[in-house]
Amino acid sequence: MVYSAALQEEFRKKGIKEGDRIRVAGEGGAFEGLMMPRPHHGDAGIIVLKLDNGYNIGIRPLSVALVSKSQKVTRGTEQDDDRKKGDIAILGCGGTIASRIEYETGAVYPSISPQELRATFPALERWPMHARQLFALFSEDLNVHHWRLLADEIEKEIKGGSDGVVVMHGTDTMAYTSAAISFMLQNLPIPVVFVGAQRSSDRPSSDNEINLLNSVFAATHDFGEVGVCMHADTNDDYCHIHRGTRVRKMHTSRRDAFKSINSQPLFAVDYRSKRFDPLSEYKKRSKEPLLARKNLNPNVGLVYTHPNIKPEFIAKLDIYDGVVLMATGLGQVPTNSMNDKTVHGILPQIKGLISSGIPVVISSQTIYGRVCMRVYSNGRLLMDAGAIGDGADWTPETAYAKLCWVLGQTKDMKKVGEMMMTDYAGEISVRSEACP
Amino acid sequence: MKIGIEIHQRLATNKLFCGCSCEISEDAKHCAVMERRLHPVLSELGEADRASKAESSKERVFEYQVFRNNCLVEMDEEPPGPLNSDALKVALQAALQLNATPVNEVQVMRKTVIDGSNTSGFQRTSIVAMNGHVDTSKGAIKIPLIAIEEESAGIVSAGDPKATYRLDRLGIPLIEISTTPDIKDGAHLTEVAQKIGMILRTLPGVARGLGTIRQDVNISTEGGARVEIKGAQDLKMLPKYVETEEKRQLELVKLLAELRSRKALPVKRHEIDVTKAFHDTKAALIAAGLKAGAIVLAQKLPAHKGLLGKELQHGKRYGTELSDYAKLAGVKGMIHSDEGMEKYGITKDELAKVGRELAMGENDAFVLIVAPKAQAERAMGHVIDRANMDYVPQETRRANPDGTSSFMRPLPGRARLYPETDVPPITLTKEMLDSVERTESLEHKKEKLEKMLNKEMAGRILKSRHLHLFEKLVASGAEPMLVATTLEETVVSLRREGVEFPDLEKTLSDIFQEFGKGTFVKAAMPEVLKGMAKGARAEAVLKVYRLQRITGKELERIAEECGHDMKAIMQKFRLQVDPQEVSILLALKKKAKETRQN
């Protein structure tokens, strides 16, 4: 609650709490209703009152009185489901898809219990499933710690005999997490499907339902990769399953924000028509034993190069154990290959990082296309300095998650270079396909 | 009986939560189509709104036509922008004219609507002012709240399972004004609606023209229920809706008493598939249904005989009411035993078979629904639910042009409103309220118009959609009566001939400016206007069509030519001479002649 200090004092004196029925006298007359929490915007001296007709209005109070205390029932603590062999596991990590609204106040919580999940999506009944909440955070707050925790939980599900795993996750950093899990858990014997929602779950039009049901439906099928299940287009029709290392969020708000970069989605899916169409090559459920290499190095930076970038700034990146640069075009940074007096190159600083044992990995700001540092001299100089990435068609986020993972496996610079350029989870392709 | 009214007035600003224009044209073609579904969002208490539940039972798909004046906000693909301050200003001006007090802070709410008319599944609405009133001949009528809200999408077709809407009008700002149910009678209702409508029309930012204002009438009778009649277009029809609804509820109360005395309620749900009885039927409706895979589902309504055929409104029976509920499941209707079976082509033999299947007694009635199994069962469920209401149900009903009404959906319960967290609240500061100009009151405006026009024309201009254009033209120096007749008569009759003015304001400012210079005469006004319809300037039209005024020496010359005969001059040069000038000239000539003769 962010009411003004004076109002808070007034509430305290009169024993008024959020949700209580109060009477507020303002200039326009006296109004009765429920006291609502103050939104963060606006004037903290104005009381938000829910009238009996359901509307909220803001009144600057001349006087306030308590009418009756709130009858609000406190929510009981709800239990996680028990794991059952052969079930689909739904793991909650927060985000829009797993958020619920408190209708009285309008507050949104990034958390949903298994009971609430079933009540909200009754159609989940058609698949045997169990659910639990791992953490309840907005995706921009997630980090390596959460990737590790999630990988541990997915491994538990695999070992416990689950038939597929669905991960409910915020969309903003979903591509980082899906890429990281792709490297940490290889030879997957079951599908791991990330799912999110672009439009808030408190609206009847939310994309959460179709995305979730399609993700569970997809998780029952025969593929052994990390996928991301989101709307294929603006219609509430079918979803795409994207490869976890290839996917990127390409729009701030649209339902079809998620796109496969430099590749086709894995599948088109629709649980209603039981459609599960492969759109590109994919791995079946692995018969080989699960390869869990879950160590990560969190101390990695991702930096966007730009005109006017300062050499000193690049030098300061030595606080990291590894750096991914989002370079321009085919993979260039200002290196001043023309020896022009007006140019400030950053090549000496990059060389400095590499020679002190900090790998520098190149990806492109163009997002689409392959890094080809051999074409221009600025790129060649970068390559000669030992920058990694020539020939890779990865997204910056995948390059980033991969470097965190590689540096969790080895500190040897030569090995880092080799591992970065080895395709582990479909993140690098040999050829850029001409046909869509 | 209690009567209240809710008025929705569209504004002519941009849309309420995005930068899209509110100018829409019925002829515009959509540029894209999208398909969506809505699912009810359960509140924590697990209660879905009763209107929402009725809608969601239809498992519907919504197709939306997207237009050039749409953006991602109307497609529900982008969060809304801030509330349009121009629209808020007009709402505040309306509040001042209706003697209401603005709230200190406007809070935007979401009102759950899942019939597909909003892509988001809710309508954004906010209270702007409270505690107003409007003075009428029968005392003041209270206006407890004035709200500003988004217009819904327009329905194109309401099919099952797919309904189609057009998004061009979605998001147009509406001012919502609702009165307390203190309106005295039908005539008073018309007066209140007219008065509020006129007050709204005096505001500069409101939209004018067909469909820009809508009235919903709330009626409740003693022993009956509250019913909302939506979409009445003609204000003169309002008393008729009140009268019809009062009678309908009275008849329903009588019918309920009869049902009670017959111990006919509750009806136990026991529907039977009687498709077999019609395997070789000549009944076209049933045969077509069966061919398409439908079944015939029958349900007995014990001790209902004769009551289904009881007329409640002109041409509408109790059976019609049940049938309207069946339509909630998307079926076209139902057949009941108080109807003439001949009109469907159902034979005595088929009827007897159905009777045997249902074990019909002397006083029983039945209903038949022809539809695919699941849909027929849903529809029958709605019929039985309605039949078991031993009270007059609260309903939203559609106003039919003949003064009757038809069931649309159950009256929404206490509206499910929750905060629109994407739009910050707006504090109405003193500076902001001071910056809202107080517009001229309706009374003052009327008085002013009556001074410059005759009473009849003043009344017409006050109601006209061109009121503000009239005021502008007069302010720039044009003669009021000429402006009024041009707007209300000349332009109207030219339009009837098919002459359109894409930019009426520009055309009229030009023509009145030219007229002010005295370069043409009043009689030529329609001809000049016609010439200007294609976009030409008045000056050019005068030259090309030879409509310049003839005056002075030239007038003397043609008067001479016509033998100083008024009739001959006017016949030949009607569009170019000012009759007053001609008669003065002729009088002078005559006088001169007389002087000479003397």
Side-chain angles (χ1 to χ4, degrees), chain B residues 346-381:
Chain B
I346 296 172
T347 62
K348 285 224 162 60
D349 183 40
E350 288 163 340
L351 202 58
K353 278 184 193 160
V354 171
R356 272 199 300 280
E357 288 278 347
L358 292 174
M360 292 276 288
E362 182 67 22
N363 265 321
D364 299 341
F366 68 77
V367 298
L368 299 179
I369 291 174
V370 185
K373 188 166 183 288
Q375 193 184 17
E377 282 169 1
R378 280 207 305 276
M380 193 62 89

Short mmCIF file of all heavy atoms in Angstrom, two decimals, chain B residues 346-381:
data_model
loop_
_atom_site.label_atom_id
_atom_site.label_comp_id
_atom_site.label_asym_id
_atom_site.label_seq_id
_atom_site.Cartn_x
_atom_site.Cartn_y
_atom_site.Cartn_z
N ILE B 346 -45.63 -31.71 -39.97
CA ILE B 346 -45.55 -32.89 -39.10
C ILE B 346 -46.92 -33.60 -39.14
O ILE B 346 -47.96 -32.96 -38.95
CB ILE B 346 -45.19 -32.49 -37.67
CG1 ILE B 346 -43.78 -31.87 -37.65
CG2 ILE B 346 -45.27 -33.68 -36.71
CD1 ILE B 346 -43.38 -31.24 -36.33
N THR B 347 -46.91 -34.89 -39.39
CA THR B 347 -48.18 -35.62 -39.57
C THR B 347 -48.75 -36.07 -38.22
O THR B 347 -48.04 -36.09 -37.21
CB THR B 347 -47.97 -36.88 -40.43
OG1 THR B 347 -47.07 -37.73 -39.72
CG2 THR B 347 -47.37 -36.53 -41.78
N LYS B 348 -50.03 -36.43 -38.25
CA LYS B 348 -50.72 -36.91 -37.05
C LYS B 348 -50.03 -38.15 -36.51
O LYS B 348 -49.88 -38.35 -35.31
CB LYS B 348 -52.19 -37.25 -37.39
CG LYS B 348 -53.06 -36.05 -37.57
CD LYS B 348 -54.41 -36.26 -36.86
CE LYS B 348 -55.15 -34.97 -36.63
NZ LYS B 348 -55.46 -34.25 -37.90
N ASP B 349 -49.58 -38.96 -37.46
CA ASP B 349 -48.92 -40.22 -37.10
C ASP B 349 -47.62 -39.95 -36.34
O ASP B 349 -47.36 -40.54 -35.30
CB ASP B 349 -48.65 -41.00 -38.40
CG ASP B 349 -48.03 -42.35 -38.11
OD1 ASP B 349 -48.47 -42.99 -37.13
OD2 ASP B 349 -47.10 -42.74 -38.86
N GLU B 350 -46.82 -39.02 -36.89
CA GLU B 350 -45.55 -38.66 -36.23
C GLU B 350 -45.80 -38.09 -34.84
O GLU B 350 -45.13 -38.42 -33.86
CB GLU B 350 -44.78 -37.64 -37.08
CG GLU B 350 -44.18 -38.26 -38.34
CD GLU B 350 -43.76 -37.24 -39.39
OE1 GLU B 350 -44.25 -36.09 -39.35
OE2 GLU B 350 -42.95 -37.61 -40.27
N LEU B 351 -46.86 -37.26 -34.78
CA LEU B 351 -47.22 -36.64 -33.52
C LEU B 351 -47.59 -37.71 -32.48
O LEU B 351 -47.17 -37.63 -31.31
CB LEU B 351 -48.42 -35.71 -33.78
CG LEU B 351 -48.65 -34.60 -32.79
CD1 LEU B 351 -47.42 -33.70 -32.71
CD2 LEU B 351 -49.87 -33.77 -33.22
N ALA B 352 -48.34 -38.70 -32.94
CA ALA B 352 -48.77 -39.78 -32.05
C ALA B 352 -47.57 -40.56 -31.53
O ALA B 352 -47.48 -40.92 -30.36
CB ALA B 352 -49.73 -40.71 -32.78
N LYS B 353 -46.59 -40.78 -32.44
CA LYS B 353 -45.38 -41.50 -32.04
C LYS B 353 -44.64 -40.74 -30.95
O LYS B 353 -44.19 -41.31 -29.96
CB LYS B 353 -44.45 -41.71 -33.24
CG LYS B 353 -44.85 -42.90 -34.10
CD LYS B 353 -43.82 -43.09 -35.21
CE LYS B 353 -44.33 -44.05 -36.27
NZ LYS B 353 -43.60 -43.89 -37.54
N VAL B 354 -44.46 -39.41 -31.16
CA VAL B 354 -43.78 -38.59 -30.16
C VAL B 354 -44.54 -38.66 -28.84
O VAL B 354 -43.96 -38.83 -27.77
CB VAL B 354 -43.67 -37.11 -30.64
CG1 VAL B 354 -43.17 -36.21 -29.52
CG2 VAL B 354 -42.76 -37.02 -31.86
N GLY B 355 -45.90 -38.57 -28.94
CA GLY B 355 -46.75 -38.62 -27.75
C GLY B 355 -46.53 -39.91 -26.97
O GLY B 355 -46.43 -39.90 -25.74
N ARG B 356 -46.42 -41.02 -27.70
CA ARG B 356 -46.22 -42.32 -27.04
C ARG B 356 -44.86 -42.36 -26.35
O ARG B 356 -44.74 -42.76 -25.22
CB ARG B 356 -46.33 -43.46 -28.06
CG ARG B 356 -47.75 -43.97 -28.25
CD ARG B 356 -47.77 -45.36 -28.88
NE ARG B 356 -47.14 -45.40 -30.18
CZ ARG B 356 -47.73 -45.00 -31.32
NH1 ARG B 356 -48.97 -44.53 -31.29
NH2 ARG B 356 -47.09 -45.09 -32.47
N GLU B 357 -43.83 -41.88 -27.09
CA GLU B 357 -42.47 -41.88 -26.53
C GLU B 357 -42.41 -41.09 -25.23
O GLU B 357 -41.72 -41.46 -24.29
CB GLU B 357 -41.47 -41.26 -27.53
CG GLU B 357 -41.16 -42.12 -28.75
CD GLU B 357 -40.11 -43.19 -28.45
OE1 GLU B 357 -39.45 -43.07 -27.39
OE2 GLU B 357 -39.97 -44.12 -29.26
N LEU B 358 -43.13 -39.96 -25.22
CA LEU B 358 -43.05 -39.07 -24.05
C LEU B 358 -44.08 -39.43 -22.98
O LEU B 358 -44.11 -38.81 -21.93
CB LEU B 358 -43.26 -37.62 -24.48
CG LEU B 358 -42.15 -36.98 -25.34
CD1 LEU B 358 -42.58 -35.59 -25.79
CD2 LEU B 358 -40.84 -36.90 -24.58
N ALA B 359 -44.95 -40.40 -23.29
CA ALA B 359 -46.06 -40.75 -22.39
C ALA B 359 -46.85 -39.51 -22.04
O ALA B 359 -47.05 -39.17 -20.87
CB ALA B 359 -45.53 -41.45 -21.13
N MET B 360 -47.33 -38.82 -23.10
CA MET B 360 -48.05 -37.57 -22.92
C MET B 360 -49.43 -37.80 -22.30
O MET B 360 -50.17 -38.67 -22.74
CB MET B 360 -48.25 -36.89 -24.28
CG MET B 360 -46.98 -36.38 -24.90
SD MET B 360 -46.53 -34.75 -24.30
CE MET B 360 -47.78 -33.77 -25.13
N GLY B 361 -49.75 -36.98 -21.31
CA GLY B 361 -51.09 -37.00 -20.73
C GLY B 361 -51.94 -35.91 -21.35
O GLY B 361 -51.44 -35.10 -22.14
N GLU B 362 -53.19 -35.87 -20.94
CA GLU B 362 -54.19 -34.94 -21.49
C GLU B 362 -53.71 -33.48 -21.46
O GLU B 362 -53.82 -32.75 -22.43
CB GLU B 362 -55.48 -35.09 -20.67
CG GLU B 362 -56.63 -34.25 -21.12
CD GLU B 362 -57.15 -34.69 -22.50
OE1 GLU B 362 -56.91 -35.86 -22.90
OE2 GLU B 362 -57.77 -33.85 -23.16
N ASN B 363 -53.14 -33.09 -20.32
CA ASN B 363 -52.81 -31.68 -20.11
C ASN B 363 -51.35 -31.32 -20.36
O ASN B 363 -50.91 -30.24 -20.02
CB ASN B 363 -53.15 -31.29 -18.67
CG ASN B 363 -54.54 -30.68 -18.63
OD1 ASN B 363 -54.90 -29.93 -19.53
ND2 ASN B 363 -55.30 -31.03 -17.61
N ASP B 364 -50.59 -32.30 -20.92
CA ASP B 364 -49.16 -32.06 -21.09
C ASP B 364 -48.85 -31.35 -22.41
O ASP B 364 -49.64 -31.39 -23.34
CB ASP B 364 -48.39 -33.40 -21.04
CG ASP B 364 -48.58 -34.09 -19.70
OD1 ASP B 364 -48.97 -33.38 -18.73
OD2 ASP B 364 -48.36 -35.33 -19.62
N ALA B 365 -47.69 -30.74 -22.42
CA ALA B 365 -47.18 -30.13 -23.65
C ALA B 365 -45.79 -30.69 -23.90
O ALA B 365 -45.23 -31.36 -23.04
CB ALA B 365 -47.12 -28.62 -23.51
N PHE B 366 -45.26 -30.44 -25.10
CA PHE B 366 -43.89 -30.88 -25.34
C PHE B 366 -43.13 -29.86 -26.18
O PHE B 366 -43.74 -29.00 -26.81
CB PHE B 366 -43.85 -32.26 -26.01
CG PHE B 366 -44.37 -32.29 -27.42
CD1 PHE B 366 -43.60 -31.83 -28.50
CD2 PHE B 366 -45.64 -32.80 -27.70
CE1 PHE B 366 -44.08 -31.85 -29.79
CE2 PHE B 366 -46.13 -32.83 -28.99
CZ PHE B 366 -45.35 -32.35 -30.04
N VAL B 367 -41.81 -29.97 -26.15
CA VAL B 367 -41.00 -29.18 -27.08
C VAL B 367 -40.07 -30.13 -27.83
O VAL B 367 -39.66 -31.16 -27.31
CB VAL B 367 -40.16 -28.08 -26.37
CG1 VAL B 367 -41.05 -27.09 -25.67
CG2 VAL B 367 -39.18 -28.68 -25.39
N LEU B 368 -39.78 -29.74 -29.07
CA LEU B 368 -38.85 -30.50 -29.92
C LEU B 368 -37.70 -29.60 -30.34
O LEU B 368 -37.93 -28.44 -30.66
CB LEU B 368 -39.54 -30.98 -31.21
CG LEU B 368 -40.75 -31.89 -31.10
CD1 LEU B 368 -41.27 -32.20 -32.51
CD2 LEU B 368 -40.37 -33.19 -30.39
N ILE B 369 -36.50 -30.15 -30.29
CA ILE B 369 -35.34 -29.40 -30.80
C ILE B 369 -34.62 -30.25 -31.82
O ILE B 369 -34.31 -31.41 -31.56
CB ILE B 369 -34.40 -28.99 -29.65
CG1 ILE B 369 -35.09 -27.93 -28.78
CG2 ILE B 369 -33.08 -28.44 -30.19
CD1 ILE B 369 -34.35 -27.55 -27.54
N VAL B 370 -34.39 -29.66 -33.00
CA VAL B 370 -33.69 -30.37 -34.08
C VAL B 370 -32.30 -29.78 -34.20
O VAL B 370 -32.13 -28.62 -34.59
CB VAL B 370 -34.45 -30.21 -35.41
CG1 VAL B 370 -33.79 -31.05 -36.49
CG2 VAL B 370 -35.91 -30.60 -35.24
N ALA B 371 -31.30 -30.56 -33.81
CA ALA B 371 -29.91 -30.07 -33.86
C ALA B 371 -28.98 -31.25 -33.62
O ALA B 371 -29.42 -32.31 -33.17
CB ALA B 371 -29.68 -29.01 -32.79
N PRO B 372 -27.67 -31.08 -33.89
CA PRO B 372 -26.73 -32.13 -33.53
C PRO B 372 -26.84 -32.44 -32.04
O PRO B 372 -27.15 -31.54 -31.24
CB PRO B 372 -25.36 -31.52 -33.85
CG PRO B 372 -25.65 -30.48 -34.89
CD PRO B 372 -27.01 -29.95 -34.58
N LYS B 373 -26.58 -33.70 -31.66
CA LYS B 373 -26.91 -34.20 -30.32
C LYS B 373 -26.45 -33.28 -29.18
O LYS B 373 -27.26 -32.83 -28.36
CB LYS B 373 -26.31 -35.59 -30.15
CG LYS B 373 -26.74 -36.30 -28.87
CD LYS B 373 -26.39 -37.78 -28.95
CE LYS B 373 -26.87 -38.55 -27.73
NZ LYS B 373 -26.12 -38.27 -26.53
N ALA B 374 -25.15 -32.97 -29.16
CA ALA B 374 -24.62 -32.19 -28.02
C ALA B 374 -25.28 -30.82 -27.95
O ALA B 374 -25.64 -30.34 -26.87
CB ALA B 374 -23.11 -32.04 -28.16
N GLN B 375 -25.47 -30.23 -29.15
CA GLN B 375 -26.06 -28.90 -29.18
C GLN B 375 -27.53 -28.94 -28.77
O GLN B 375 -28.00 -28.08 -28.01
CB GLN B 375 -25.92 -28.35 -30.60
CG GLN B 375 -26.21 -26.87 -30.70
CD GLN B 375 -26.15 -26.39 -32.15
OE1 GLN B 375 -26.20 -27.17 -33.10
NE2 GLN B 375 -26.04 -25.07 -32.30
N ALA B 376 -28.24 -29.98 -29.23
CA ALA B 376 -29.65 -30.12 -28.89
C ALA B 376 -29.80 -30.29 -27.38
O ALA B 376 -30.71 -29.73 -26.76
CB ALA B 376 -30.24 -31.33 -29.62
N GLU B 377 -28.88 -31.04 -26.78
CA GLU B 377 -28.95 -31.25 -25.32
C GLU B 377 -28.70 -29.95 -24.58
O GLU B 377 -29.38 -29.64 -23.60
CB GLU B 377 -27.94 -32.33 -24.90
CG GLU B 377 -28.46 -33.73 -25.21
CD GLU B 377 -27.39 -34.81 -25.05
OE1 GLU B 377 -26.25 -34.47 -24.66
OE2 GLU B 377 -27.72 -35.99 -25.31
N ARG B 378 -27.71 -29.19 -25.07
CA ARG B 378 -27.45 -27.89 -24.43
C ARG B 378 -28.68 -26.99 -24.52
O ARG B 378 -29.09 -26.35 -23.56
CB ARG B 378 -26.26 -27.20 -25.11
CG ARG B 378 -24.90 -27.68 -24.69
CD ARG B 378 -23.85 -26.59 -24.85
NE ARG B 378 -23.78 -26.02 -26.20
CZ ARG B 378 -23.09 -26.55 -27.21
NH1 ARG B 378 -22.45 -27.68 -27.03
NH2 ARG B 378 -23.07 -25.96 -28.39
N ALA B 379 -29.26 -26.96 -25.73
CA ALA B 379 -30.42 -26.10 -25.96
C ALA B 379 -31.58 -26.52 -25.06
O ALA B 379 -32.25 -25.68 -24.45
CB ALA B 379 -30.82 -26.16 -27.43
N MET B 380 -31.79 -27.84 -24.95
CA MET B 380 -32.90 -28.34 -24.13
C MET B 380 -32.67 -27.97 -22.67
O MET B 380 -33.61 -27.64 -21.94
CB MET B 380 -33.06 -29.85 -24.31
CG MET B 380 -34.35 -30.39 -23.76
SD MET B 380 -35.80 -29.69 -24.59
CE MET B 380 -35.99 -30.86 -25.95
N GLY B 381 -31.40 -28.02 -22.26
CA GLY B 381 -31.06 -27.62 -20.89
C GLY B 381 -31.51 -26.19 -20.62
O GLY B 381 -32.10 -25.89 -19.57
#
